[in-house]
């Protein structure tokens, strides 16, 4: 099989070491066969992958123990899975069945056997995520947490909010709310003991996806009605949610966001029933950014089936669950997989040809980028707006070993968050520059 290799390096000087992230991507492969009408939800424990599939006559929960190559039905009855998460060998799903009302089912042996759970007093659940032995549920009345594998649940607040998305990073929790009132993003920095409303949208909306890495928050918002005066939005924040900026994915219907260091993935649904305001039918698909969301490229798993329900990132693979793009699409839901390369750490003298500093930041009139090359290299420097547009190309030439610097005149640029992208041979690093006059 012919493969495609894309390398991206992100640099951070720590105790004289330079950390290098090499991301290698192979072509997408269909994982297993065709799964019916709609592949909706994914979860993973190592190389064991779980997939919820909805068909015209039945719904199933499938399990693969070989990283998606082959699949088998689980012992659960016919169901519609709403949310699913894995904490080691404990798998928790929230679903509806024809026999019982919405409820949790749990497996303690990696999906081999299942038991029903009685969760008295827990509101209807929209999403479930897992971290460090705990499960977090976004419900119609706030956020709940379970420390005993879903047996009991404790409210973490936001009881007046229908929470549709949750993201976790260390002690920080992001929760996205929805409803006929404007949507909101809430943040807790103390594991849910207290909350702050960090973003309010100007239209009735649904927060369809949230994610975080060590320095950036990402959110996707979709209007509740197609006649909304505002289109779907994708936004990010570099200051823990205090300020937010749009990033260039247009008004796509984002269903899933994943941040893996500075590599960010977005899965988008198609809009088969209505046309974009520009008159162009949206194709959905998978999109990837190698510079923390500043620029994006299409990374579609299939030329025809681009209605992506969910993305799942495991240690070495990225999965995309898809559904038919419309009534004329008879292909059925499918799951696609692509392999990821291994992240490595090397000493600067062994592999990385540069070390970099930048000051002042924030700046009012000028900023300086300084870097040291260990060897002759081709260097490019670009200044990028918050919308991902290149506003200045500052350098594009070969330079010799030694110390170099670039002065950026920022007097002509409006206040805001900009990015400078510095390329050294095949390496690339992007950092933030705040302009305040």
């Amino acid at each position: 099989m012919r493969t495609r290799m894309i390398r991206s390096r992100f640099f951070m000087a720590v105790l004289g070491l330079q950390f290098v992230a090499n991301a290698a991507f192979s072509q997408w492969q269909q994982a297993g066969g065709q799964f019916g009408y709609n592949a909706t939800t994914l979860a993973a424990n190592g190389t064991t992958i779980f997939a919820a599939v909805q068909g015209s006559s039945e719904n199933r929960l499938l399990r693969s123990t070989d990283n998606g190559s082959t699949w088998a039905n689980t012992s659960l009855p016919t169901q519609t899975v709403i949310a699913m998460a894995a904490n080691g060998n404990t798998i928790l799903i929230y679903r509806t069945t024809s026999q019982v009302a919405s409820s949790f089912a749990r497996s303690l042996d990696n999906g081999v056997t299942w038991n029903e759970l009685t969760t008295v007093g827990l509101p209807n659940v929209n999403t479930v995520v897992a971290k460090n032995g705990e499960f977090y549920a976004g419900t119609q009345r706030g956020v709940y947490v379970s420390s005993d594998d879903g047996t009991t649940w404790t409210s973490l607040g936001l009881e007046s909010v229908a929470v549709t998305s949750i993201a976790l990073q260390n002690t920080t929790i992001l929760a996205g709310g929805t409803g006929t009132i404007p949507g909101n993003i809430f943040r807790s920095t103390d594991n849910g003991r207290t909350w702050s409303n960090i973003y309010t949208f100007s239209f009735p909306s649904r927060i369809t996806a949230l994610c975080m890495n060590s320095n950036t928050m990402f959110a996707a918002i979709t209007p509740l009605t197609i006649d909304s005066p505002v289109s779907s939005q994708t936004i990010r924040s570099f200051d823990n949610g205090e300020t937010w900026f749009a990033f260039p994915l247009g008004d796509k219907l984002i269903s899933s966001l994943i941040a893996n260091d500075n590599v960010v993935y977005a899965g988008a649904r198609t809009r088969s029933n209505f046309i974009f305001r520009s008159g162009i039918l949206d194709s959905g698909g998978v999109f990837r950014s190698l510079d923390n969301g500043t620029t994006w490229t299409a990374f579609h798993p299939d030329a025809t089936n681009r209605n992506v329900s969910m993305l799942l990132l495991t240690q070495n693979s990225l999965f995309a669950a898809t559904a038919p793009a419309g009534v004329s699409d008879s292909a059925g839901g499918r799951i696609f997989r692509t392999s990821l390369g291994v992240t490595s750490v090397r000493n600067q003298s062994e592999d990385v040809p540069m070390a970099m500093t930048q000051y002042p930041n924030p700046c009012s009139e000028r900023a300086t980028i300084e870097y040291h090359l260990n060897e002759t290299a081709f260097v490019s420097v670009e200044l990028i707006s918050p919308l991902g547009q290149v506003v200045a190309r500052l350098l594009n030439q070969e330079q010799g070993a030694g110390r170099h610097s670039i002065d950026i005149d920022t007097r002509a640029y409006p206040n805001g968050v900009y990015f400078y992208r510095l390329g050294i041979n095949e390496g690339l690093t992007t950092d933030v520059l705040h302009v305040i006059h």
Side-chain angles (χ1 to χ4, degrees), residues 11 18 348 352-359 368-382 394-408 420-425 429:
F11 304 91
Q18 204 79 14
Q348 178 183 337
V352 180
M354 71 114 187
M356 182 184 67
T357 60
Q358 181 266 327
Y359 61 88
T368 300
I369 301 173
E370 290 187 351
Y371 52 97
H372 186 276
L373 299 177
N374 292 339
E375 59 189 45
T376 298
F378 192 89
V379 182
S380 64
V381 181
E382 296 175 326
L394 305 172
L395 186 67
N396 191 41
Q397 66 184 49
E398 187 175 83
Q399 292 185 314
R403 178 184 174 277
H404 301 271
S405 65
I406 297 175
D407 291 326
I408 305 175
Y420 58 92
R421 184 165 56 197
L422 190 147
I424 307 290
N425 292 334
T429 184

Side-chain angles (χ1 to χ4, degrees), residues 147-168:
S147 301
D148 55 7
D149 296 331
T151 302
T152 60
W153 294 84
T154 302
S155 174
L156 295 179
L158 302 181
E159 289 88 352
S160 63
V161 179
V163 176
T164 55
S165 297
I166 295 177
L168 308 172

Side-chain angles (χ1 to χ4, degrees), residues 18 26 134 213 222 289 330 333 363:
Q18 204 79 14
S26 67
E134 294 183 315
N213 58 27
T222 298
S289 172
S330 60
C363 65

Side-chain angles (χ1 to χ4, degrees), residues 49-62:
I49 314 298
F50 298 87
V53 179
Q54 297 179 11
S56 57
S57 60
E58 66 171 341
N59 305 317
R60 294 179 290 168
L61 179 65
L62 305 178

Side-chain angles (χ1 to χ4, degrees), residues 79-146:
Q79 60 205 268
T80 298
V81 174
I82 299 172
M84 177 167 53
N87 250 331
N89 286 337
T90 300
I91 317 300
L92 198 63
I93 69 169
Y94 186 79
R95 78 280 175 40
T96 60
T97 72
S98 58
Q99 293 82 23
V100 297
S102 299
S103 63
F104 277 108
R106 179 182 67 192
S107 173
L108 299 176
D109 53 11
N110 204 28
V112 177
T113 60
W114 295 84
N115 299 104
E116 300 285 346
L117 293 180
T118 301
T119 52
V120 177
L122 185 68
N124 287 338
V125 173
N126 300 313
T127 184
V128 179
V129 295
K131 186 189 76 168
N132 297 335
E134 294 183 315
F135 288 94
Y136 294 79
T139 78
Q140 288 297 105
R141 296 197 301 273
V143 179
Y144 284 73
V145 64
S146 175

